[in-house]
Amino acid sequence: MSGIYARRIAVLAASATLAATTGLLTAPSAQAAMPTPVSASTARTYLNELTVKAEGSSTGYSRDKFPHWITQSGACNTREVVLERDGTNVAQDSSCAATSGSWYSQYDGATWTAASDLDIDHMVPLAEAWRSGASSWTTAQRQSYANDLTRPQLIAVTDNVNQAKGDQDPATWLPSRTAYKCTYVRAWVHVKHYYGLSVDSAEKSALQSVLNGC
């Protein structure tokens, strides 16, 4: 083991011990964000590596083919985990449902205090994924995709904004909040690259246009 890795492990161990100790005194603060996507420069590289082809058919698509909001731990499903992660001062009942808290929707800049006002958006929508390659995946692969907490794929946003987005790609829909557009397209490319999904030409052009200004 190199000295660098040994030091990293020692630092991580010390951090874990500190976290365990301080956790007894203060509740952990919410991350209040989805996982950070790759940088703009990396996203540009990733975008050039994606297969460009016409979008596939929606034939056979169903949300049921992407089993989502599966149990993550205890009584908590994916939606509830994201609500707790993306909110501030979120309280949950014994069933893990959020009973109070505050959520800032990155897409439109609105703040909500009722979990019912929020949807958990799939950054790259399920139907878009289906038309970009996921139609050939197994159900298990689609389930992992629909519940991915590791990549920047899930985010709590205003429900009607998510519904307006639907299954559109960045050629026809981007967040109204200008300050979030760079993060949005970085996340979009990150997810598509990780899962080996294709892009169509209009989608690629839209992504390049935003990334060039990031």
Side-chain angles (χ1 to χ4, degrees):
M1 181 184 294
S2 73
I4 292 175
Y5 286 115
R7 285 195 296 275
R8 284 180 182 169
I9 290 172
V11 169
L12 288 171
S15 297
T17 301
L18 178 62
T21 303
T22 56
L24 298 174
L25 304 175
T26 59
S29 60
Q31 180 182 330
M34 69 178 181
T36 303
V38 294
S39 67
S41 60
T42 299
R44 285 190 284 270
T45 299
Y46 280 5
L47 181 58
N48 287 328
E49 294 172 355
L50 295 180
T51 298
V52 180
K53 65 179 184 179
E55 206 164 73
S57 170
S58 293
T59 301
Y61 168 72
S62 166
R63 287 179 67 84
D64 293 340
K65 292 185 177 180
F66 292 79
H68 53 289
W69 307 168
I70 61 171
T71 300
Q72 292 290 342
S73 64
C76 302
N77 67 26
T78 308
R79 172 182 164 84
E80 290 147 356
V81 169
V82 176
L83 283 172
E84 195 279 333
R85 182 198 72 188
D86 288 4
T88 302
N89 298 322
V90 177
Q92 297 170 306
D93 63 19
S94 59
S95 298
C96 208
T99 55
S100 64
S102 176
W103 292 268
Y104 178 78
S105 172
Q106 295 286 358
Y107 288 1
D108 58 332
T111 297
W112 303 97
T113 55
S116 59
D117 287 321
L118 297 135
D119 278 355
I120 307 305
D121 180 41
H122 288 94
M123 177 64 61
V124 178
L126 305 182
E128 166 68 20
W130 177 271
R131 298 189 297 264
S132 304
S135 59
S136 65
W137 295 352
T138 64
T139 299
Q141 288 173 314
R142 289 193 286 263
Q143 175 175 293
S144 294
Y145 176 85
N147 297 275
D148 189 351
L149 294 167
T150 304
R151 262 63 54 181
Q153 164 67 342
L154 299 172
I155 184 171
V157 296
T158 303
D159 54 3
N160 61 358
V161 172
N162 180 52
Q163 290 151 25
K165 171 184 171 179
D167 63 356
Q168 298 179 80
D169 70 35
T172 54
W173 192 93
L174 285 167
S176 61
R177 186 169 160 257
T178 303
Y180 200 68
K181 288 179 180 177
C182 279
T183 303
Y184 185 86
V185 298
R186 284 161 46 210
W188 183 282
V189 173
H190 186 157
V191 171
K192 281 222 160 178
H193 187 270
Y194 180 83
Y195 285 98
L197 297 171
S198 62
V199 290
D200 63 48
S201 57
E203 176 187 356
K204 182 174 183 179
S205 294
L207 291 164
Q208 283 178 323
S209 178
V210 177
L211 285 171
N212 286 341
C214 293

